[in-house]
Amino acid sequence: MKKFVFFLIFAFAASLFNAQTIDREIINNNEVFTGKIENSATINVSFKSVTVENKALEIYKVSGCSDVEGSKADFEGTITLNPEKTKKAADKLVKIYDLKLFEKGTDKHNGILTGELKVKNLSEKNQLRFEGSWENYGNTLKFPFYFNN
């Protein structure tokens, strides 16, 4: 019984620690996340600020910059824990967040990144993978994207 109680305390402490550090992990030591858009063009994304909007629900307000082959755009948005997707995930070491980033500007290459952030808890450094679709504000372009650390 003591082992079970110890395990519960440890699990709670680990989850609390993860919730407190995810904002720092999104900042990624001010390094860019790199990936692809439409499986061809390189996308680099950097987050400049992450603030906790609701600690209990793990809702974060973010801002940063995206760069697709020299076409840069500042963005703002939210990253929100999705408990249902996390519970249903095949890999129990993964937390899944909903992602919505709004690029600033009115060019045909500005739009909204919508998708998921998957955080895989590893012993040394958590893996972050952002994945979804980008659609311009005119609804004339839509591409899949991913970027990770």
Side-chain angles (χ1 to χ4, degrees):
M1 183 67 175
K2 287 182 182 180
K3 288 181 181 180
F4 181 70
V5 171
F6 178 74
F7 174 75
L8 287 177
I9 292 170
F10 178 76
F12 174 75
S15 67
L16 182 64
F17 176 75
N18 187 50
Q20 293 174 346
T21 62
I22 190 67
D23 54 337
R24 284 182 270 161
E25 292 181 19
I26 293 170
I27 293 290
N28 198 30
N29 293 322
N30 294 318
E31 295 178 19
V32 298
F33 292 93
T34 301
K36 296 285 183 186
I37 189 162
E38 197 183 16
N39 294 320
S40 61
T42 298
I43 182 171
N44 293 310
V45 176
S46 59
F47 291 89
K48 303 298 180 197
S49 73
V50 179
T51 56
V52 179
E53 184 174 279
N54 185 317
K55 186 176 181 178
L57 298 177
E58 290 194 54
I59 300 173
Y60 303 92
K61 288 286 185 188
V62 298
S63 66
C65 181
S66 63
D67 180 350
V68 179
E69 297 184 338
S71 179
K72 295 181 181 184
D74 291 328
F75 63 78
E76 292 181 344
T78 57
I79 296 175
T80 306
L81 177 67
N82 188 318
E84 289 299 315
K85 288 181 183 177
T86 299
K87 186 177 178 180
K88 293 177 182 177
D91 187 343
K92 297 304 174 192
L93 296 175
V94 172
K95 288 178 87 172
I96 300 175
Y97 295 80
D98 292 325
L99 166 77
K100 197 157 202 169
L101 306 177
F102 299 89
E103 293 177 323
K104 296 178 182 178
T106 56
D107 186 50
K108 85 173 197 177
H109 295 288
N110 295 117
I112 303 171
L113 294 126
T114 306
E116 296 178 342
L117 161 61
K118 293 181 180 176
V119 179
K120 184 168 185 171
N121 295 318
L122 301 174
S123 60
E124 293 178 16
K125 181 180 178 183
N126 288 344
Q127 265 182 353
L128 280 69
R129 181 175 177 88
F130 301 80
E131 193 168 10
S133 64
W134 172 89
E135 186 169 6
N136 72 342
Y137 291 122
N139 297 323
T140 58
L141 299 171
K142 187 173 183 174
F143 304 116
F145 74 85
Y146 76 88
F147 51 90
N148 53 21
N149 61 347

